Each structure stands twice: as C-alpha cells, then as structure tokens.
Amino acid sequence: MPLADMVDILKPDLCIIGAGALGISLAIDARARNLSVVLVQRPGDEPGNTARDEAVRAAFMASAARAHAMRTASALGLKDTDPKPSFRAIGERASAIADAVAPQTAPDRLAALGVILRDEPAAFSDRQTLRVGTTLVRAGQFVLATGSHPTTPDLPGHDKVQSFNPDTILANMRKLSHLVVIGGNATALELAQAYRRLGSDVTVVPHGPLLEGFDPEPVAILLRSLRQEGVAILDGASVTAILPRSQGTGIAIAHADGSLDTLDVSHILLAFGRVPDLDPELLEQARLRRDPARPDFLQLSPQGQTSNGRVTAIGGAAGIYDAQSALRQAAIVLQRATGAAAGRINPLLVPHSVNTSPAIAQIGLVETANGLRPGQMVLRANASETTAARASADLPGNTKLITTSDGTILGAAMIGAHSSETIAMLAVALERGMGAADLAGLLLPPASPAVQLVDLGRQFIAQHRPSDWARRRAALRRLLP
C-alpha cells in the first residue's frame, strides 16, 4: 500500500514548530487572518510554558522593585522600612500570576480558535514535509519557534556543584545568602540587582565584557548605581575554577590586573547567554545550513529565512532573544503567508534594553571609543531636569541622540526610568522617517519621561536656525498672493 494511503496528510498555510509564547502568539494571529495552522508541541513542553516563565520573572522583579521602594521611601517624604522578603510568598504570588496567564494559551482555547495542535514526536522527512507521529504535514511555510536554552560554560569544577541558570533560579523558594553571578550580560545584571534588593549578598564576575554592545556612557552610570545598592561588580575579572567544599562553594578568580583571589559563596548563577534549541533529529532532513562562524546557529537572513525557502526561524531559534525583534519576525511571516509585501528588519531600528533600575535602552548607532565621523553630532538631555524624574526621585539618567547635520537620527542611548518605553517611541519615529527637529513637535504630558525627546528636538532646532537668506525667502513667500 502506498505511504500516502497509510498516513494522514495536512496541508496548512503555516506549520509552527514550538508551542511557547511566541509560537502560540503567531498561531493566534495567523488564525485571525484566516490562515490554516498546525502547531506542533515538542515532547516534554507544555503549551505556553514560556509565557508562564515570563509572568513569573515579571512578578519576581516587581517584588524586588517594591522591596527597594520600601527601603528608600524617605526620598519621597515617607518613612524607610526594612522589608522582610519571604521567598516562598514571592514564589507563590508569581506562580498565581502565571496561573492567571495560562488560560490564554490553553489547548482548549487554541482548538476553539481553529489551531490544530499536535504533540507527537516530529521530524522533517524531506525539505518540504514534516512527519508528526503518523501525520505528514506539507505546509506553505514552516516556522521554527523552538526557543533557546542557557549556555553551559566550560569551567573546571562546574560539574561538581549545583548551580542555577536564568531559567531555573526563579523556581528557588529560599533566600540565597551570597549569590555569585558569573556573566556580564543584561540578564546577569537584572537578576543580580533583584536578588540584592531582596536581601542577598551578590557578587558579579563578568567573565568577559560587561554589557557588550551597549553605549559605555549609560553602562558606567548603571554600574555606579548597582554598586551604590551593594552589588559587588568585579569588572574585568574571570572565574578560573569552581571549588566544591563541604559547606558552600569556592570561586577561584583572576582579576583584571592579573592577581588571583578566592571567593566564598553559597550559590552560583551562570548567565552566559543563550543558544537556539535546534534538535538535530528534527531538522536533519530539512537540510538547513549552519552559520560557519557559529555552528550552534542557523544561517539566516535578518528576517529569519533559512537556506530552505519553506522554513523560517523566529525568536530564540533564530538567536533573537528580545521580544521586539521576535514579534517583528513573526509579523513578517504573516505578511508572506497572506501574500502581502513582506517587510524587512533593519537591525539598526531594533531597540535593545537592560531592565535594571535605572534601565538602559538604545537603538541604532551608539558612540564608541572611536568617536563620531565628520558631520555627526551628539545631543544630550538630562533626566534630572524633567518633572517625571524629580517627582519620582528617579534622578539618575540621561539621553543622548546621534544625528547628522541635516537632522537624520542615527541612534540613541538612554538610561533612566521608563527608558524602554521612551526608546520604543523613538523606534516608531525612526520607522516613519522623522528627523531630530520633528521630535520638538511631540505632544507629551509634562510629567512624561519621554519629554527628553522634545528637549533634544528643541536643541537641534536651536543649533540649526534658518539663515538670513532663508528667513528673507520665507517672508517673501508670505507677501506673494
């Protein structure tokens, strides 16, 4: 009997592999556009598990922020209070919030929306066919939304002790007396600050660059602020070994000046970044090219298109770990699937952020040690001069805007409260082709942190006033009928 007579064959518009938050979001948006969708859940995963993780993380960070607000209430005329965090209560609250999110991604809801959910083992049988259990799926487009997992470092002694990574630490239900955070990326600093605010001693050993790729000016302000809160940051230091002990753990450290030291800690958080979840058994027959420089990654266009024209990777599977870029990739998938003109992702128009307090956000070109090119200029606005910063006592912060002499915005970097929201506004302005002078016309409430953008626009106008000839020409036009 021919194989086609023995198995079911589905031919949806989209087959999404990965039932995390991004995959489910794409499936729901696709159904809203009347596209047929098969959503493949990987064995061991629960639908929407990443949405639950995001809710837990947000709740934990909010608890840490509230503890810090209690401790520093006198800045707003209130009495400082020493918080008494209960990690069990914090965890139970976070879990309850995650449970409230769960119905949005429940299989019953997806089925009611017309999404075909399959949870059998899946693997490509050729470049155009995915076998899911006994079903063959030949979709117009396959989308890899399989996510990512934390990188495991190769440190001597690492396999001899227990440690956390950013995905496992939030399940912790007890206070960590001395947490060492090994890594210098955004996640490392976000969690370091949160645990410090909840009463743990915290030491950060970057084991490489601190916030690589971010403008050094706001990074310096952030590091100073973290140190003021009591986070010990060993800038330039690396871990040479992890030393198991009968009580606690030893961390052998090489400092930036070459000196050696040992640190006694109670717990370890390894925050070395992430790599895509790319199951070889799933993808082998799809014949997708790997990135020669990074074998753990696929070779992709900025939009996530692989070497197989029917397969696109988005989010963590594409090595993209910020929600803004991942959602933009998903939107482009829908454009292609519906026959609309597909947009393109300009990496310079994608915001990046560090969700500490104060927060860092940036977009486009950033200033480096090499300085600016001829014709480029930097405008600065101080957050402490805004009503929002003064009212909330969140004074540390500033915004810098890099433009050309004609007002073309090349990039921006900012630090301070609500930086992520402000940079998102600037991202929209850049996509619409607005220049520096146009920022002066933004209509914002006086107490909005984003009024710094208006200030920057006014600064640009003040430095580029019309020439005498331009004013005469404008007066002449007013006189003409």
Side-chain angles (χ1 to χ4, degrees), residues 19-72:
L22 182 61
I24 289 177
S25 174
L26 176 57
I28 292 172
D29 288 345
R31 287 299 300 138
R33 290 161 174 77
N34 204 33
L35 297 173
S36 54
V37 180
V38 171
L39 179 62
V40 179
Q41 176 185 339
R42 297 186 303 158
D45 286 346
E46 292 294 329
N49 58 340
T50 51
R52 180 182 180 85
D53 292 345
E54 290 167 2
V56 168
R57 180 184 174 88
F60 179 81
M61 301 296 280
S63 293
R66 183 61 59 88
H68 182 67
M70 294 168 63
R71 195 178 288 115
T72 58

Side-chain angles (χ1 to χ4, degrees), residues 231-398:
V231 179
I233 303 173
L234 309 183
D235 201 352
S238 297
V239 174
T240 58
I242 297 176
L243 311 171
R245 291 177 177 166
S246 58
Q247 291 186 339
T249 303
I251 306 293
I253 297 172
H255 290 279
D257 61 4
S259 62
L260 303 179
D261 196 4
T262 302
L263 185 68
D264 293 319
V265 302
S266 63
H267 297 84
I268 300 171
L269 169 62
L270 301 172
F272 280 78
R274 309 184 72 86
V275 293
D277 275 335
L278 302 173
D279 183 356
E281 293 183 6
L282 167 68
L283 300 175
E284 181 179 2
Q285 297 304 318
R287 299 179 184 176
L288 307 180
R289 292 195 195 112
R290 298 280 180 149
D291 186 332
R294 301 182 301 169
D296 290 335
F297 293 70
L298 294 172
Q299 190 176 76
L300 302 171
S301 73
Q303 287 68 246
Q305 289 180 288
T306 70
S307 55
N308 181 339
R310 286 181 179 266
V311 181
T312 300
I314 62 175
I320 300 296
Y321 311 121
D322 61 274
Q324 302 96 318
S325 298
L327 292 172
R328 180 61 176 147
Q329 286 180 321
I332 291 174
V333 168
L334 292 178
Q335 290 170 350
R336 285 202 302 268
T338 56
R344 298 185 64 81
I345 295 178
N346 182 348
L348 290 177
L349 297 183
V350 176
H352 300 281
S353 61
V354 184
N355 296 315
T356 47
S357 178
I360 292 178
Q362 69 182 38
I363 189 170
L365 181 70
V366 296
E367 196 171 11
T368 66
N370 296 328
L372 301 176
R373 295 181 179 178
Q376 296 176 352
M377 61 183 296
V378 175
L379 302 172
R380 286 182 169 81
N382 195 327
S384 64
E385 297 175 0
T386 66
T387 300
R390 288 170 175 164
S392 63
D394 290 325
L395 297 178
N398 61 48

Side-chain angles (χ1 to χ4, degrees), residues 128-153:
Q128 301 181 11
T129 307
L130 181 74
R131 177 185 286 275
V132 186
T134 60
T135 301
L136 297 181
V137 181
R138 293 171 181 157
Q141 283 285 314
F142 292 95
V143 182
L144 296 177
T146 51
S148 62
H149 61 268
T151 302
T152 301

Side-chain angles (χ1 to χ4, degrees), residues 143-168:
V143 182
L144 296 177
T146 51
S148 62
H149 61 268
T151 302
T152 301
D154 184 16
L155 293 175
H158 163 249
D159 56 343
K160 302 292 194 303
V161 301
Q162 291 186 335
S163 61
F164 294 116
N165 65 47
D167 290 354
T168 62

